Coordinates of all heavy atoms in Angstrom, one line a residue:
M8 N 2.8 6.6 -11.2 CA 2.0 5.4 -11.0 C 1.3 5.5 -9.6 O 1.7 6.2 -8.7 CB 2.9 4.1 -11.0 CG 3.5 3.9 -12.4 SD 2.4 3.4 -13.6 CE 2.3 1.6 -13.3
K9 N 0.2 4.7 -9.5 CA -0.6 4.6 -8.3 C -0.7 3.2 -7.8 O -0.5 2.3 -8.5 CB -2.0 5.2 -8.5 CG -1.9 6.7 -8.9 CD -3.3 7.2 -9.2 CE -3.3 8.7 -9.5 NZ -4.6 9.2 -9.8
V10 N -0.9 3.1 -6.5 CA -1.0 1.8 -5.9 C -2.1 1.8 -4.8 O -2.4 2.8 -4.2 CB 0.3 1.4 -5.3 CG1 0.8 2.3 -4.2 CG2 0.3 -0.1 -4.8
W11 N -2.8 0.7 -4.7 CA -3.8 0.5 -3.6 C -3.8 -0.9 -3.1 O -3.3 -1.8 -3.8 CB -5.2 1.0 -4.1 CG -5.8 0.1 -5.2 CD1 -5.4 0.2 -6.6 CD2 -6.8 -0.9 -5.1 NE1 -6.2 -0.7 -7.3 CE2 -7.0 -1.3 -6.5 CE3 -7.6 -1.4 -4.1 CZ2 -8.0 -2.3 -6.7 CZ3 -8.5 -2.4 -4.4 CH2 -8.7 -2.8 -5.7
I12 N -4.4 -1.1 -2.0 CA -4.5 -2.4 -1.3 C -5.9 -2.8 -1.1 O -6.7 -1.9 -0.6 CB -3.7 -2.4 0.0 CG1 -2.2 -2.2 -0.2 CG2 -4.0 -3.6 0.8 CD1 -1.4 -2.0 1.1
D13 N -6.3 -4.0 -1.4 CA -7.6 -4.5 -1.0 C -7.5 -5.1 0.4 O -7.0 -6.2 0.6 CB -8.1 -5.5 -2.0 CG -9.5 -6.1 -1.6 OD1 -10.0 -5.8 -0.5 OD2 -10.0 -6.8 -2.5
Q14 N -7.8 -4.3 1.4 CA -7.7 -4.8 2.8 C -8.4 -6.0 3.2 O -8.1 -6.7 4.1 CB -8.0 -3.7 3.8 CG -6.9 -2.7 4.1 CD -6.8 -1.6 2.9 OE1 -7.7 -1.4 2.2 NE2 -5.6 -1.0 2.8
D15 N -9.5 -6.3 2.4 CA -10.2 -7.6 2.7 C -9.4 -8.8 2.5 O -9.7 -9.9 3.0 CB -11.4 -7.7 1.7 CG -12.5 -6.7 2.1 OD1 -12.5 -6.1 3.2 OD2 -13.4 -6.4 1.2
L16 N -8.3 -8.7 1.7 CA -7.5 -9.9 1.4 C -6.1 -9.8 2.2 O -5.3 -10.7 2.1 CB -7.2 -9.9 -0.1 CG -8.4 -10.1 -1.0 CD1 -8.0 -10.0 -2.5 CD2 -9.1 -11.4 -0.7
C17 N -5.9 -8.7 2.8 CA -4.6 -8.5 3.5 C -4.4 -9.4 4.7 O -5.3 -9.5 5.5 CB -4.5 -7.0 4.0 SG -3.0 -6.6 4.9
T18 N -3.3 -10.1 4.8 CA -3.1 -11.0 5.9 C -2.4 -10.3 7.1 O -2.3 -10.9 8.2 CB -2.2 -12.2 5.5 OG1 -0.8 -11.7 5.2 CG2 -2.7 -12.9 4.2
G19 N -1.9 -9.1 6.9 CA -1.3 -8.3 8.0 C 0.1 -8.8 8.3 O 0.6 -8.5 9.4
D20 N 0.7 -9.5 7.5 CA 2.1 -9.9 7.8 C 3.1 -8.8 7.7 O 4.2 -8.9 8.3 CB 2.5 -11.0 6.7 CG 2.4 -10.5 5.3 OD1 3.4 -9.9 4.9 OD2 1.4 -10.6 4.7
G21 N 2.8 -7.7 7.1 CA 3.7 -6.5 7.1 C 4.8 -6.6 6.1 O 5.7 -5.7 6.1
L22 N 4.8 -7.6 5.2 CA 5.9 -7.7 4.2 C 6.1 -6.4 3.4 O 7.2 -6.0 3.1 CB 5.7 -8.9 3.3 CG 6.3 -10.2 3.6 CD1 5.9 -11.2 2.6 CD2 7.9 -10.0 3.6
C23 N 4.9 -5.8 2.9 CA 5.0 -4.7 2.1 C 5.7 -3.5 2.8 O 6.5 -2.8 2.2 CB 3.6 -4.3 1.6 SG 2.4 -4.1 2.9
E24 N 5.4 -3.3 4.1 CA 6.0 -2.2 4.8 C 7.5 -2.5 5.0 O 8.3 -1.5 5.0 CB 5.3 -2.1 6.2 CG 5.8 -0.9 7.0 CD 5.3 -0.9 8.4 OE1 5.3 -1.9 9.1 OE2 4.8 0.2 8.8
E25 N 7.9 -3.7 5.2 CA 9.3 -4.0 5.3 C 10.0 -3.7 4.0 O 11.1 -3.2 4.0 CB 9.5 -5.5 5.6 CG 9.2 -5.9 7.0 CD 9.4 -7.4 7.2 OE1 10.3 -8.0 6.6 OE2 8.7 -8.0 8.1
I26 N 9.4 -4.0 2.8 CA 10.1 -3.8 1.5 C 10.0 -2.4 1.1 O 11.0 -1.8 0.6 CB 9.4 -4.7 0.5 CG1 9.6 -6.2 0.8 CG2 9.9 -4.4 -0.9 CD1 8.8 -7.2 0.0
A27 N 8.9 -1.7 1.3 CA 8.7 -0.3 0.8 C 8.0 0.5 1.8 O 6.9 0.9 1.7 CB 7.9 -0.3 -0.5
P28 N 8.7 0.9 2.9 CA 8.1 1.6 4.0 C 7.7 3.0 3.6 O 6.9 3.6 4.3 CB 9.2 1.7 5.1 CG 10.5 1.4 4.4 CD 10.1 0.5 3.2
D29 N 8.2 3.6 2.5 CA 7.7 4.9 2.1 C 6.4 4.9 1.4 O 5.8 5.9 1.2 CB 8.8 5.5 1.1 CG 10.1 5.9 1.8 OD1 10.1 5.9 3.0 OD2 11.1 6.1 1.1
V30 N 5.9 3.7 1.0 CA 4.7 3.5 0.3 C 3.6 2.8 1.1 O 2.4 3.1 0.9 CB 4.9 2.8 -1.1 CG1 3.6 2.6 -1.9 CG2 6.0 3.6 -1.9
F31 N 4.0 1.9 2.0 CA 3.1 1.0 2.7 C 3.3 1.2 4.2 O 4.4 1.4 4.7 CB 3.3 -0.4 2.3 CG 3.1 -0.7 0.8 CD1 4.2 -1.0 0.1 CD2 1.9 -0.7 0.2 CE1 4.1 -1.3 -1.3 CE2 1.8 -0.9 -1.1 CZ 2.9 -1.2 -1.9
V32 N 2.2 1.1 4.9 CA 2.3 1.2 6.4 C 1.3 0.2 7.0 O 0.1 0.1 6.5 CB 2.0 2.6 6.9 CG1 0.7 3.2 6.4 CG2 2.2 2.7 8.4
L33 N 1.7 -0.5 8.0 CA 0.8 -1.4 8.8 C 0.3 -0.6 10.0 O 1.0 0.0 10.8 CB 1.6 -2.6 9.3 CG 0.9 -3.9 9.6 CD1 0.2 -4.4 8.4 CD2 1.8 -4.9 10.3
L34 N -1.1 -0.6 10.1 CA -1.7 0.2 11.2 C -2.1 -0.7 12.3 O -2.0 -2.0 12.2 CB -2.9 1.0 10.6 CG -2.6 2.0 9.6 CD1 -3.9 2.8 9.3 CD2 -1.5 3.0 10.1
D35 N -2.6 -0.1 13.4 CA -2.9 -0.8 14.6 C -4.0 -1.9 14.4 O -4.2 -2.8 15.2 CB -3.3 0.1 15.7 CG -2.2 0.9 16.2 OD1 -1.0 0.5 16.0 OD2 -2.4 2.0 16.9
D36 N -4.8 -1.7 13.3 CA -5.9 -2.7 13.1 C -5.3 -3.9 12.4 O -6.1 -4.9 12.1 CB -7.0 -2.0 12.2 CG -6.5 -1.6 10.8 OD1 -5.3 -1.9 10.5 OD2 -7.2 -1.0 10.0
G37 N -4.0 -4.0 12.2 CA -3.4 -5.2 11.7 C -3.4 -5.3 10.2 O -3.2 -6.4 9.6
L38 N -3.8 -4.2 9.5 CA -3.9 -4.2 8.1 C -2.9 -3.2 7.5 O -2.6 -2.2 8.1 CB -5.3 -3.9 7.6 CG -6.4 -4.9 8.1 CD1 -7.8 -4.4 7.8 CD2 -6.2 -6.3 7.5
A39 N -2.5 -3.4 6.2 CA -1.6 -2.5 5.6 C -2.4 -1.5 4.7 O -3.5 -1.9 4.2 CB -0.6 -3.3 4.7
Y40 N -1.8 -0.3 4.6 CA -2.5 0.8 3.8 C -1.4 1.5 3.0 O -0.2 1.4 3.3 CB -3.1 1.8 4.8 CG -4.3 1.2 5.5 CD1 -4.1 0.5 6.7 CD2 -5.6 1.3 5.0 CE1 -5.2 -0.1 7.4 CE2 -6.7 0.8 5.7 CZ -6.4 0.1 6.9 OH -7.5 -0.5 7.6
V41 N -1.8 2.1 2.0 CA -0.8 2.9 1.2 C -0.7 4.3 1.7 O -1.6 4.8 2.4 CB -1.3 3.0 -0.3 CG1 -1.1 1.6 -0.9 CG2 -2.7 3.5 -0.5
R42 N 0.4 5.0 1.4 CA 0.7 6.3 2.0 C 1.4 7.2 0.9 O 2.0 6.7 0.0 CB 1.5 6.2 3.2 CG 3.0 5.8 2.9 CD 3.8 5.5 4.2 NE 3.7 6.7 5.1 CZ 4.1 6.6 6.4 NH1 4.5 5.5 6.9 NH2 4.0 7.6 7.2
E43 N 1.1 8.5 1.1 CA 1.9 9.5 0.4 C 2.5 10.3 1.5 O 1.9 11.3 2.0 CB 1.0 10.3 -0.5 CG 0.6 9.7 -1.8 CD -0.4 10.5 -2.6 OE1 -0.6 11.7 -2.3 OE2 -1.0 10.0 -3.5
G44 N 3.7 10.1 1.9 CA 4.3 10.8 3.0 C 3.5 10.5 4.3 O 3.2 9.4 4.6
E45 N 3.1 11.7 4.8 CA 2.3 11.6 6.1 C 0.8 11.2 5.8 O 0.1 10.9 6.8 CB 2.4 12.9 6.9 CG 3.8 13.2 7.4 CD 4.4 12.1 8.2 OE1 3.7 11.7 9.2 OE2 5.5 11.7 7.9
K46 N 0.4 11.3 4.6 CA -1.0 11.1 4.3 C -1.2 9.6 4.1 O -0.6 8.9 3.2 CB -1.4 11.8 3.0 CG -2.8 11.6 2.6 CD -3.1 12.4 1.3 CE -4.6 12.2 0.8 NZ -4.8 12.9 -0.4
I47 N -2.0 9.0 5.0 CA -2.3 7.5 4.9 C -3.7 7.3 4.5 O -4.6 7.9 5.0 CB -2.0 6.9 6.3 CG1 -0.5 7.1 6.7 CG2 -2.4 5.4 6.3 CD1 -0.2 6.7 8.1
F48 N -3.9 6.4 3.5 CA -5.2 6.2 2.9 C -6.0 5.2 3.7 O -6.3 4.1 3.2 CB -5.0 5.8 1.4 CG -4.5 6.9 0.6 CD1 -3.2 7.3 0.5 CD2 -5.5 7.6 -0.2 CE1 -2.8 8.3 -0.3 CE2 -5.0 8.7 -1.0 CZ -3.7 9.0 -1.0
A49 N -6.4 5.7 4.9 CA -7.2 4.8 5.8 C -8.2 5.8 6.5 O -7.8 6.9 6.9 CB -6.3 4.1 6.8
A50 N -9.4 5.3 6.6 CA -10.4 6.2 7.2 C -10.0 6.5 8.7 O -10.3 7.6 9.2 CB -11.8 5.4 7.2
S51 N -9.4 5.5 9.3 CA -9.0 5.8 10.7 C -7.9 6.9 10.9 O -7.7 7.4 12.0 CB -8.4 4.5 11.4 OG -7.3 4.1 10.7
E52 N -7.3 7.2 9.8 CA -6.3 8.3 9.8 C -6.9 9.6 9.3 O -6.2 10.5 8.9 CB -5.1 7.9 8.9 CG -4.4 6.7 9.4 CD -3.7 6.9 10.7 OE1 -2.9 7.9 10.8 OE2 -3.9 6.1 11.7
G53 N -8.2 9.7 9.2 CA -8.9 10.9 8.8 C -8.9 11.1 7.3 O -9.3 12.2 6.8
N54 N -8.6 10.1 6.6 CA -8.7 10.2 5.1 C -10.1 9.6 4.7 O -10.3 8.4 4.7 CB -7.6 9.4 4.4 CG -7.5 9.6 2.9 OD1 -8.6 9.6 2.3 ND2 -6.3 9.8 2.4
T55 N -11.0 10.5 4.2 CA -12.3 10.0 3.9 C -12.4 9.0 2.8 O -13.4 8.3 2.6 CB -13.2 11.2 3.7 OG1 -12.6 12.0 2.6 CG2 -13.4 12.1 4.9
E56 N -11.4 9.0 1.9 CA -11.4 8.0 0.8 C -11.2 6.6 1.4 O -11.5 5.7 0.8 CB -10.2 8.3 -0.1 CG -10.4 9.5 -1.0 CD -9.2 9.7 -1.9 OE1 -8.2 10.2 -1.4 OE2 -9.3 9.3 -3.1
G57 N -10.6 6.6 2.6 CA -10.4 5.3 3.2 C -9.5 4.4 2.4 O -8.7 4.9 1.6
A58 N -9.8 3.1 2.5 CA -9.0 2.2 1.8 C -9.1 2.2 0.3 O -8.3 1.7 -0.5 CB -9.3 0.8 2.3
K59 N -10.2 2.9 -0.2 CA -10.4 3.0 -1.6 C -9.4 3.9 -2.3 O -9.3 4.0 -3.5 CB -11.8 3.4 -2.0 CG -12.9 2.4 -1.6 CD -14.2 2.8 -2.2 CE -15.3 1.9 -1.7 NZ -15.8 2.2 -0.4
G60 N -8.7 4.7 -1.5 CA -7.8 5.7 -2.0 C -6.6 5.1 -2.7 O -6.1 4.0 -2.2
M61 N -6.1 5.7 -3.7 CA -4.9 5.2 -4.4 C -3.8 6.3 -4.1 O -4.0 7.5 -4.3 CB -5.1 5.1 -5.9 CG -5.9 3.9 -6.3 SD -5.8 3.6 -8.1 CE -7.0 4.7 -8.7
A62 N -2.7 5.8 -3.7 CA -1.5 6.6 -3.4 C -0.6 6.7 -4.6 O -0.3 5.7 -5.3 CB -0.7 6.1 -2.2
E63 N -0.2 7.9 -5.0 CA 0.8 8.1 -6.0 C 2.2 7.8 -5.4 O 2.4 8.3 -4.3 CB 0.8 9.5 -6.6 CG -0.5 9.7 -7.5 CD -0.2 10.8 -8.5 OE1 0.9 10.7 -9.2 OE2 -1.1 11.6 -8.7
F64 N 3.0 7.2 -6.2 CA 4.4 7.0 -5.7 C 5.4 7.4 -6.8 O 5.1 7.2 -8.0 CB 4.6 5.5 -5.2 CG 4.5 4.5 -6.3 CD1 5.5 4.1 -7.0 CD2 3.2 3.9 -6.5 CE1 5.4 3.1 -8.0 CE2 3.1 3.0 -7.5 CZ 4.1 2.5 -8.3
P65 N 6.6 7.8 -6.4 CA 7.6 8.3 -7.3 C 8.2 7.1 -8.1 O 8.2 5.9 -7.6 CB 8.6 9.0 -6.5 CG 8.4 8.5 -5.1 CD 7.0 8.1 -5.0
D66 N 8.7 7.4 -9.3 CA 9.3 6.3 -10.1 C 10.4 5.5 -9.4 O 10.6 4.3 -9.6 CB 9.9 6.9 -11.4 CG 8.8 7.4 -12.3 OD1 7.6 7.0 -12.1 OD2 9.1 8.2 -13.2
D67 N 11.2 6.2 -8.5 CA 12.3 5.5 -7.8 C 11.8 4.5 -6.8 O 12.6 3.7 -6.3 CB 13.2 6.5 -7.2 CG 12.6 7.3 -6.1 OD1 11.5 7.1 -5.7 OD2 13.3 8.3 -5.7
Q68 N 10.5 4.4 -6.6 CA 9.9 3.4 -5.7 C 9.3 2.2 -6.5 O 8.9 1.2 -5.9 CB 8.8 4.0 -4.8 CG 9.3 5.0 -3.8 CD 10.0 4.4 -2.7 OE1 9.6 3.4 -2.1 NE2 11.2 4.9 -2.3
M69 N 9.4 2.3 -7.8 CA 8.7 1.3 -8.6 C 9.2 -0.1 -8.3 O 8.4 -1.0 -8.1 CB 8.9 1.6 -10.1 CG 8.3 0.6 -11.0 SD 6.5 0.4 -10.9 CE 6.0 1.7 -12.0
D70 N 10.5 -0.3 -8.3 CA 11.0 -1.7 -8.1 C 10.5 -2.2 -6.8 O 10.2 -3.4 -6.7 CB 12.5 -1.7 -8.1 CG 13.1 -1.5 -9.6 OD1 12.3 -1.5 -10.5 OD2 14.3 -1.3 -9.7
L71 N 10.5 -1.4 -5.7 CA 10.1 -1.9 -4.4 C 8.6 -2.2 -4.3 O 8.2 -3.1 -3.7 CB 10.5 -0.8 -3.3 CG 12.0 -0.6 -3.1 CD1 12.3 0.5 -2.1 CD2 12.7 -1.9 -2.7
V72 N 7.9 -1.3 -5.0 CA 6.4 -1.5 -5.0 C 6.1 -2.8 -5.8 O 5.2 -3.6 -5.4 CB 5.7 -0.3 -5.7 CG1 4.2 -0.6 -5.8 CG2 5.8 0.9 -4.8
V73 N 6.7 -3.0 -6.9 CA 6.5 -4.3 -7.7 C 6.9 -5.5 -6.9 O 6.2 -6.5 -6.8 CB 7.3 -4.2 -9.0 CG1 7.2 -5.6 -9.7 CG2 6.7 -3.2 -10.0
E74 N 8.1 -5.4 -6.2 CA 8.5 -6.5 -5.4 C 7.5 -6.8 -4.3 O 7.2 -7.9 -4.0 CB 9.9 -6.2 -4.8 CG 10.5 -7.3 -3.9 CD 11.8 -6.9 -3.3 OE1 12.4 -5.9 -3.7 OE2 12.2 -7.6 -2.3
S75 N 7.0 -5.7 -3.7 CA 6.0 -5.9 -2.6 C 4.7 -6.6 -3.2 O 4.2 -7.6 -2.5 CB 5.5 -4.5 -2.1 OG 6.6 -3.9 -1.5
A76 N 4.3 -6.2 -4.4 CA 3.1 -6.9 -5.0 C 3.4 -8.3 -5.2 O 2.5 -9.2 -5.1 CB 2.7 -6.1 -6.2
E77 N 4.6 -8.6 -5.7 CA 4.9 -10.0 -6.0 C 5.0 -10.9 -4.8 O 4.7 -12.0 -4.8 CB 6.3 -10.0 -6.8 CG 6.1 -9.5 -8.3 CD 7.4 -9.4 -9.0 OE1 8.5 -9.6 -8.4 OE2 7.4 -9.2 -10.2
E78 N 5.5 -10.3 -3.7 CA 5.8 -11.1 -2.5 C 4.5 -11.1 -1.6 O 4.4 -12.0 -0.7 CB 6.9 -10.4 -1.7 CG 8.2 -10.4 -2.3 CD 8.8 -11.8 -2.5 OE1 8.5 -12.7 -1.7 OE2 9.5 -12.0 -3.5
C79 N 3.5 -10.2 -1.9 CA 2.4 -10.1 -1.0 C 1.6 -11.4 -1.0 O 1.1 -11.9 -2.0 CB 1.5 -9.0 -1.6 SG -0.1 -8.9 -0.7
P80 N 1.5 -12.1 0.2 CA 0.8 -13.4 0.3 C -0.7 -13.2 0.1 O -1.3 -14.2 -0.3 CB 1.1 -13.8 1.7 CG 1.5 -12.6 2.5 CD 2.1 -11.7 1.5
G81 N -1.3 -12.1 0.3 CA -2.7 -11.9 0.0 C -3.0 -11.5 -1.5 O -4.1 -11.5 -1.9
E82 N -1.9 -11.3 -2.2 CA -2.0 -10.9 -3.6 C -3.0 -9.7 -3.7 O -3.9 -9.7 -4.6 CB -2.5 -12.1 -4.5 CG -1.4 -13.2 -4.5 CD -1.8 -14.3 -5.5 OE1 -2.9 -14.3 -6.1 OE2 -1.0 -15.3 -5.6
C83 N -2.9 -8.8 -2.9 CA -3.9 -7.7 -2.8 C -3.3 -6.3 -3.0 O -3.9 -5.3 -2.5 CB -4.6 -7.8 -1.4 SG -3.6 -7.8 0.0
I84 N -2.1 -6.2 -3.5 CA -1.5 -4.9 -3.9 C -1.7 -4.7 -5.4 O -1.2 -5.6 -6.2 CB 0.0 -4.9 -3.5 CG1 0.1 -5.0 -2.0 CG2 0.6 -3.6 -4.0 CD1 1.6 -5.1 -1.5
Y85 N -2.3 -3.6 -5.7 CA -2.7 -3.4 -7.1 C -2.0 -2.1 -7.6 O -2.1 -1.0 -7.0 CB -4.2 -3.2 -7.3 CG -4.9 -4.5 -6.8 CD1 -5.4 -4.6 -5.6 CD2 -5.0 -5.6 -7.7 CE1 -6.1 -5.7 -5.1 CE2 -5.7 -6.7 -7.2 CZ -6.2 -6.8 -6.0 OH -6.8 -7.9 -5.5
I86 N -1.2 -2.2 -8.7 CA -0.5 -1.0 -9.3 C -1.3 -0.6 -10.5 O -1.7 -1.4 -11.3 CB 0.9 -1.4 -9.7 CG1 1.6 -2.0 -8.4 CG2 1.6 -0.3 -10.3 CD1 3.0 -2.7 -8.7
E87 N -1.5 0.7 -10.6 CA -2.3 1.3 -11.7 C -1.5 2.4 -12.3 O -0.8 3.1 -11.7 CB -3.6 1.9 -11.1 CG -4.4 1.0 -10.2 CD -5.5 0.3 -10.9 OE1 -5.8 0.6 -12.0 OE2 -6.2 -0.5 -10.2
P88 N -1.8 2.6 -13.6 CA -1.1 3.7 -14.3 C -1.6 5.1 -13.8 O -2.6 5.2 -13.3 CB -1.4 3.5 -15.8 CG -2.5 2.5 -15.8 CD -2.6 1.8 -14.5
Ligands
LIG103 S1 2.3 -7.8 1.9 FE1 0.1 -7.9 1.3 S2 -0.9 -9.2 2.8 FE2 1.1 -8.6 3.7 S3 0.6 -6.8 4.9 FE3 1.2 -6.0 2.9 S4 -0.8 -5.9 1.7 FE4 -1.2 -7.1 3.5

């Protein structure tokens, strides 16, 4: 499964990173981004896809990713097949 964040709606509260730190990371710009290990899907991290990038996450992260999406106050975490 893949996941992405619409940073335009992100409030920067960091809940997703607290719940699933292997998949989400809050950067210095105050917004959350998705990650695959050390690869962070943000232009500021040298990823040219920027925020449009979708990160693949392993099945064992599914519950945490779904919980993050449900708790996200910006309702801006999207899970894709
Ligand atoms: S939980 Fe949602 S609003 Fe909060 S930092 Fe993560 S993506 Fe942004």
Side-chain angles (χ1 to χ4, degrees):
M8 297 288 280
K9 296 179 178 176
V10 62
W11 62 283
I12 292 173
D13 182 350
Q14 276 81 22
D15 287 344
L16 301 174
C17 176
T18 69
D20 58 87
L22 265 178
C23 53
E24 186 188 48
E25 282 179 33
I26 295 170
D29 290 346
V30 179
F31 304 107
V32 58
L33 200 65
L34 295 185
D35 290 344
D36 62 7
L38 299 172
Y40 295 85
V41 291
R42 70 187 308 165
E43 286 175 9
E45 295 304 307
K46 182 178 178 183
I47 298 173
F48 289 78
S51 63
E52 297 294 306
N54 188 319
T55 53
E56 287 178 284
K59 294 193 183 80
M61 285 193 279
E63 287 208 42
F64 61 92
D66 290 344
D67 63 9
Q68 291 288 313
M69 176 63 88
D70 288 351
L71 295 175
V72 172
V73 169
E74 182 182 345
S75 299
E77 288 175 349
E78 297 293 329
C79 172
E82 298 183 358
C83 55
I84 295 174
Y85 303 95
I86 302 166
E87 310 261 353

